[in-house]
Each structure stands twice: as C-alpha cells, then as structure tokens.
Amino acid sequence: MSYAIEVKNLSKSFYSRKKQGFWAGIFARKYNEKKAVNKLSFTIKEGERVAFIGPNGAGKSTTIKMLTSILHPTSGRARVMGMNPAEDRELLAYNIGAVFGQRSQLWQHLSPMKSFELLAAVYDIPESTFKKRLKNLVATFEIGEYIDKPVRTFSLGERMRCEIVASLLHNPKVLFLDEPTIGLDVVAKAKIRETLKELNRREGTTIILTSHDAGDIEDVCNRAIIINHGKIVIDESITKLKAQYLSRKVIRATGARGKISVYEIDTKCMPLQAALADIIKKDDLVDLTIEDPSMEEIIKDVYSKSENISCSIKLRGK
Amino acid sequence: MVGKFLKFFGQLLKTSISNEYSLRLNFWIEVIFMAINNSFWVVTWLILFNKFGSVNGWGSEHIVLMMGITMATFGIYSFCFSGTADWLAGYIDRGELDTFILQPKNILLNVAASKCSPSAFGDFLSGLLFIGFSGLLSLSSLPIILLTLVAGCLVFLSMAIFVGTLAFWFKGVEGWGTQIFHLFLNLTMQPGSIYTGVVKTVLLFAVPAGIIAFLPIELVMNPTAWGLVKMVAIPLVFFAASVWFFYRGLRRYESGNNFGIRG
C-alpha cells in the first residue's frame, strides 16, 4: 500500500513585530517568532482514517493548511498523493477535498444545487459524471429533501452535510475535515460519522480529521496522531491508544436500596481486584459495572501527561 | 484549456449574479438609484459647461461621452469583478482566501469574479445611455469606445488588485484601501482636458486614470497610432504588474479561523 501523505521535518513559524520605539521600529525592526509546527514527521497510508488531535493552538489546523496548499511551510517537506502542496496547488486540488467546519463552499442565497453546479465547472467534471456522482452523494448523505432550497434557511447539520457533499463531488483521494461536527446535535453528528466511515469503506478515501469531539475520533478513525506545541506527542492506533490509557476504570456499584455509588480508579496505582474487594466489602451490592473511560477522558489524560502531571490514585464515591 | 476556463468563468459569473439577483427588489433598487445618482453628475457638468462654454477644447458633448465611458467601464468592472476592490483586502485581512486556494483554478480570477455588484448594472446602463446621448457615437468612434470599455475595465481591475494586495503587508487596508480606490475613480470622473503637462503624464503612465479620463476622447477627436498603442499597452502592463504583485503577496498569506459563508 502506498502513502497518501508523507511529512518530513515540517515546520511553520509565524512572525509578529516586537514593540519598539518609533525610530527603532522603522530602521531596526525586530520580530517575535512563534513556532506553530515544529519539525513534524509522519506518514499516512492510502485508505487510513487518521485523527489529528491536540489542544487549541497545538498546530493541527496549521499542519492541515500546509498539506492543502493554503499555507507555505517555513521548512521541511510534505507530499500529498506524491505532490508538493506548496508547488503543485492546482494539480493537488483535483485530488483532495477539504471541509472546514467554520468555512463554507456554499452560496448563502442560492440552493446547494447551484453551488454544486459551479463546483462541477471548478473541478472540470463532465456533466454525465457529475450527475451520477451527485445522485450517489445525495442518496448517501440524504440531502435530496432540501437540495433546491436556499442555504441561508438551513440548520447547521443540513449545511454541514451539503458541505461534505460539495467537497466530495470531484471524488478526492484524500479528504481533510477540520472540526466537521462543530456545533451539531448528537443525531447530526452520528449521521456524519456514519457516512464518512461508509465513504472510506466503499471508495477507499483517506480521511484526515481534526476535532475536539472525542466521539468523532473514536467513531470515525482507526489511528490518532496527537500533537502539542507543534510536535507529535503520540502516534498510535485508536485501539492501542485506548488500551494504553485504559488503566483508569469507572466502577458503578448499585446497593440493595437502589443507591448508586461511582468509583474511579487507576489500575496502575491500585490493582482492579484490590479495588473491587474494597468496594464489595463496603456495600451491600445487587449490581456492579466496570466501564472504560471515554475517548475524551483518554485525550485529557494524554495531554496532562505531556505536560508532566504525575499519575494520581482516585477512589471517588457518590 | 480555453474552453474549460471560459466554462468556469461563465459559471462563476452566473452564480455570483444569481446570488445577488435572488434578492430581486434589492437588486433593482440599487440599479435604479445608481442610474439616478449618475445622472446628477452629468447634469452638473452640463450646467457648468453651458455656463463656461468649453474647458481646454472640450465641449459638453465630450464631458458627456467621458462620463458615459467612465460609468460603462466601471459598470463592467464592478458587475464582473466586484470581489476585488470591495472584498480582496478583507479576505486577506481576515484570512478568508482558503476556499479559493483550495480550488484548482486561478485564485485571483476566482476571488475577483466571486462578487457581483447590482449597482454596477445601473452604472453600465447609464453609461451606455450617456455614450449614445453625447452625439459622438459613430461608426469611426465605435471601435475606439469598445476598446476603451475593455482597457478601462482592465485598469480598474488592476488598481483594485494593487490596493487590495496591500493587505498582505498592512492591516486595515479594507478601510483606507477603499478610499484610495475611490480617489482613483474620482480622477476618471473629471474632465480630462484639465490635466496638462506632468500631471497628464503621471495620470497616463503612473496612475493610469487617463486611459479612461482623456485618452479615449482624444482618440475620438484625433485618432493616432501612438494613442492606440498606449490604450492597449498601458492597461496590459498594469494588469500584468498587479497580478505579479498579488502572487508575491500571497506567499505572506496567513489563514484565519473565522466563521464564514459565501454570498
């Protein structure tokens, strides 16, 4: 299997002027350097579904923008489908699709259909191919009901589904999604996650996703690259990531009178058997469940470890 | 290649016009009031010319033709490429060029033709009306006027690109850039015969308002090969320079994370 994305020592710095006196500002201007991405290296195989995650300002969006030709790297090398995003913008654009949750490709006073027709001209899609492709996407994303209504009348979920269809019309090999479920309700999120997985299964589209929503990552992706301060903290499969950070368990114990106590333990600090023995001794139990932490908690744990916060034992009741 | 380009350009224009025309009442109100506004300008000049006779050899028919040419060229520019003067600096300032960069088409054309100004249709219609009303439209002047419409449109577009592109280097260009562009527009709305000597040279070769303000009238009055060369070459050189300037600035582009929707 070949690589969809190859990144080697990729860096991006932003510069802002230092506060100086009037004359110094004119004749000896000085700048502050902010390294948004710092010597990032990774590869992504074709057909992978990769979550690119990190706290705000970690460098995820900057990296994606460098991979999609929007920003030029300060140094390092990137290849997307064998092309250099900084030099082959037009050629690369035919091969990638991008959905930025906060940006729209749709025209607000027009129907999505009109925007799709424009995109067919933008991507030089022959009419018969366009009609066939659109028919499939309309069925997959279930947007037939409102495809001819003005975008300004849409809910956020309806708009986002149309945004994804817009970015898939030209059948891209790689799809970048930056916060695709931002602001959506649970049902809309589930629908988008499900269709993205279906797309990957059916067409082998490589998916690169950034999100602050752990559900997006857990449901859609099979690998996670976690970055912080512009550097990779963890690059692991979602399964391994969960296993590695599953030392925390949430135990719900239901007493005879229906009273539920919730315990949280870290098995690295206290063996599960010992914790269970403690709980069983204390309560007159009728039911007991042991749960893994959610992806959100795992990510929180990873971040805190990257900040060198030490492990602590928690046994919390009620 | 050319076919695909024209198909894209045609579809983009059709979409941006449809986007504006979806609010029909707004569209026609803007068209009508712009035409009325333009008529006031011409009436004012006619009153002044009737009082003073002529200004450096120009009579009232010349000022009406000049105003007609300015309105029609600005109308074409603004109807097709309103995304430049009115929007380019803002897109750059707010980091909103992403959508255009992501598409496999010329970024500048994509931005420029992404907005249509309804009032520009009023400019164009009133421009055509005043060109006809000037009494100087004839078989011999028609090719010069048609050439001017294209050359003038290219000059407006170049100036808008130059001003908008400054946003790659300076913040807040959206505000003062519009002032600079309107200053340029004002230079094309004065009787061209008032410009003489160095000012005339500057307005032809450095700030090419003369391509619209006086060169077409001079060519209608006295067509010369050198005049025609200037009419073709100056806009092309300015346009090429503005495109180079834009792509030079684009390397400095810093994207943003604002929420936004087209239209």
Side-chain angles (χ1 to χ4, degrees):
Chain A
M1 192 181 273
S2 54
Y3 290 119
I5 296 173
E6 293 173 85
V7 170
K8 185 90 181 156
N9 291 328
L10 195 69
S11 298
K12 177 73 184 174
S13 295
F14 292 104
Y15 297 90
S16 58
R17 275 179 65 180
K18 273 187 180 171
K19 272 194 175 177
Q20 290 172 283
F22 180 76
W23 293 111
I26 292 173
F27 295 109
R29 217 173 262 185
K30 287 180 181 166
Y31 293 90
N32 288 315
E33 182 188 9
K34 194 200 168 212
K35 284 185 178 171
V37 174
N38 192 5
K39 293 187 177 175
L40 221 56
S41 298
F42 61 89
T43 52
I44 293 173
K45 287 177 191 158
E46 281 182 32
E48 269 195 287
R49 305 187 304 272
V50 179
F52 215 68
I53 45 186
N56 285 331
K60 348 179 258 296
S61 295
T62 306
T63 306
I64 285 203
K65 282 173 182 176
M66 283 192 280
L67 297 178
T68 52
S69 308
I70 292 172
L71 293 175
H72 286 227
T74 309
S75 64
R77 200 182 86 110
R79 288 277 180 279
V80 179
M81 298 307 295
M83 285 168 270
N84 180 349
E87 289 170 7
D88 310 317
R89 182 190 67 85
E90 286 193 23
L91 202 58
L92 179 63
Y94 286 105
N95 290 280
I96 61 168
V99 178
F100 293 129
Q102 70 275 38
R103 286 286 156 71
S104 184
Q105 297 196 67
L106 306 170
W107 294 66
Q108 65 167 338
H109 297 307
L110 301 179
S111 66
M113 191 62 204
K114 297 277 181 199
S115 296
F116 297 156
E117 282 167 1
L118 172 62
L119 288 167
V122 166
Y123 290 99
D124 307 319
I125 308 170
E127 203 176 331
S128 57
T129 315
F130 168 67
K131 280 183 179 167
K132 204 173 152 189
R133 179 88 181 143
L134 184 63
K135 197 180 162 189
N136 279 338
L137 290 168
V138 166
T140 308
F141 285 83
E142 297 173 7
I143 59 166
E145 221 179 286
Y146 45 85
I147 196 169
D148 290 315
K149 291 180 183 166
V151 171
R152 65 172 184 270
T153 63
F154 287 8
S155 71
L156 202 53
E158 289 168 341
R159 206 201 86 194
M160 196 51 72
R161 275 197 255 173
C162 291
E163 291 289 352
I164 298 176
V165 170
S167 64
L168 290 172
L169 280 172
H170 59 293
N171 199 8
K173 309 272 187 306
V174 184
L175 181 63
F176 293 92
L177 300 124
D178 193 359
E179 303 284 358
T181 60
I182 196 166
L184 302 188
D185 63 38
V186 183
V187 180
K189 277 181 185 178
K191 184 72 207 166
I192 284 178
R193 289 168 188 164
E194 187 191 312
T195 40
L196 285 175
K197 273 195 291 186
E198 169 67 18
L199 181 82
N200 169 267
R201 206 164 32 238
R202 216 176 48 208
E203 301 185 2
T205 312
T206 309
I207 292 176
I208 320 292
L209 180 144
T210 78
S211 180
H212 282 104
D213 189 321
D216 285 351
I217 298 154
E218 203 171 1
D219 282 5
V220 178
C221 302
N222 49 18
R223 176 181 162 198
I225 297 177
I226 302 179
I227 70 168
N228 203 4
H229 302 309
K231 287 184 170 178
I232 292 179
V233 179
I234 282 175
D235 183 352
E236 205 62 270
S237 73
I238 294 287
T239 326
K240 275 189 184 171
L241 189 73
K242 283 187 82 173
Q244 202 172 336
Y245 288 88
L246 280 182
S247 57
R248 288 219 325 260
K249 302 280 176 192
V250 178
I251 304 168
R252 285 172 197 279
T254 311
R257 290 177 197 164
K259 184 188 165 193
I260 299 171
S261 304
V262 182
Y263 300 89
E264 194 181 305
I265 63 154
D266 189 332
T267 53
K268 280 181 189 162
C269 307
M270 172 181 269
L272 184 60
Q273 279 170 316
L276 283 175
D278 260 8
I279 295 166
I280 291 165
K281 257 188 250 170
K282 283 178 196 166
D283 291 334
D284 178 18
L285 296 179
V286 292
D287 193 16
L288 190 89
T289 57
I290 305 167
E291 293 166 7
D292 290 332
S294 67
M295 192 67 204
E296 196 151 20
E297 286 168 309
I298 291 174
I299 291 167
K300 213 161 90 184
D301 204 27
V302 172
Y303 290 163
S304 61
K305 279 190 175 53
S306 71
E307 301 283 356
N308 295 321
I309 295 171
S310 62
C311 158
S312 62
I313 305 170
K314 288 175 187 171
L315 188 60
R316 200 179 63 195
K318 318 257 177 330
Chain B
M1 186 80 174
V2 176
K4 280 180 181 174
F5 170 81
L6 289 176
K7 191 182 171 194
F8 161 65
F9 184 52
Q11 190 69 41
L12 182 56
L13 274 184
K14 189 181 151 190
T15 310
S16 66
I17 293 167
S18 303
N19 193 53
E20 291 303 327
Y21 198 66
S22 63
L23 305 170
R24 282 179 183 73
L25 185 64
N26 286 13
F27 185 94
W28 286 112
I29 287 174
E30 282 197 47
V31 169
I32 291 164
F33 277 89
M34 184 49 76
I36 293 170
N37 190 26
N38 286 340
S39 303
F40 275 114
W41 270 92
V42 176
V43 168
T44 308
W45 282 122
L46 280 177
I47 291 169
L48 282 169
F49 269 75
N50 281 338
K51 191 170 171 65
F52 297 107
S54 71
V55 176
N56 284 347
W58 278 32
S60 55
E61 70 278 21
H62 298 117
I63 187 72
V64 174
L65 178 62
M66 188 218 78
M67 288 298 286
I69 286 173
T70 300
M71 289 169 196
T73 49
F74 185 77
I76 297 170
Y77 153 75
S78 207
F79 198 64
C80 300
F81 305 116
S82 188
T84 354
D86 299 338
W87 294 85
L88 179 60
Y91 285 148
I92 296 168
D93 227 11
R94 293 187 296 272
E96 290 175 0
L97 285 181
D98 299 12
T99 310
F100 305 101
I101 297 174
L102 280 167
Q103 294 180 348
K105 286 289 180 278
N106 184 289
I107 299 167
L108 197 49
L109 177 75
N110 208 343
V111 173
S114 67
K115 293 282 178 188
C116 159
S117 163
S119 64
F121 196 52
D123 280 320
F124 180 67
L125 289 180
S126 50
L128 291 187
L129 190 78
F130 290 122
I131 289 171
F133 181 64
S134 70
L136 292 173
L137 186 62
S138 65
L139 275 180
S140 59
S141 68
L142 184 64
I144 295 168
I145 292 169
L146 289 177
L147 176 66
T148 306
L149 295 186
V150 178
C153 178
L154 214 53
V155 165
F156 277 126
L157 182 59
S158 309
M159 281 308 291
I161 294 171
F162 270 124
V163 173
T165 298
L166 290 173
F168 285 119
W169 285 272
F170 306 102
K171 292 285 168 201
V173 175
E174 199 176 6
W176 55 262
T178 310
Q179 303 288 333
I180 294 178
F181 187 75
H182 281 108
L183 176 68
F184 177 78
L185 178 61
N186 273 335
L187 290 172
T188 67
M189 293 175 78
Q190 314 304 318
S193 57
I194 62 169
Y195 305 123
T196 54
V198 179
V199 175
K200 194 172 178 180
T201 309
V202 168
L203 287 183
L204 207 50
F205 295 103
V207 188
I211 293 292
I212 302 151
F214 52 81
L215 194 59
I217 309 300
E218 288 177 1
L219 282 172
V220 167
M221 291 162 88
N222 179 28
T224 62
W226 173 231
L228 286 171
V229 168
K230 284 189 282 189
M231 182 64 90
V232 174
I234 293 172
L236 285 177
V237 169
F238 264 83
F239 181 63
S242 68
V243 171
W244 174 84
F245 187 52
F246 173 79
Y247 282 98
R248 178 120 180 92
L250 190 61
R251 290 157 176 253
R252 299 173 58 89
Y253 176 63
E254 290 178 11
S255 177
N257 287 314
N258 292 339
F259 280 76
I261 190 161
R262 296 188 77 164

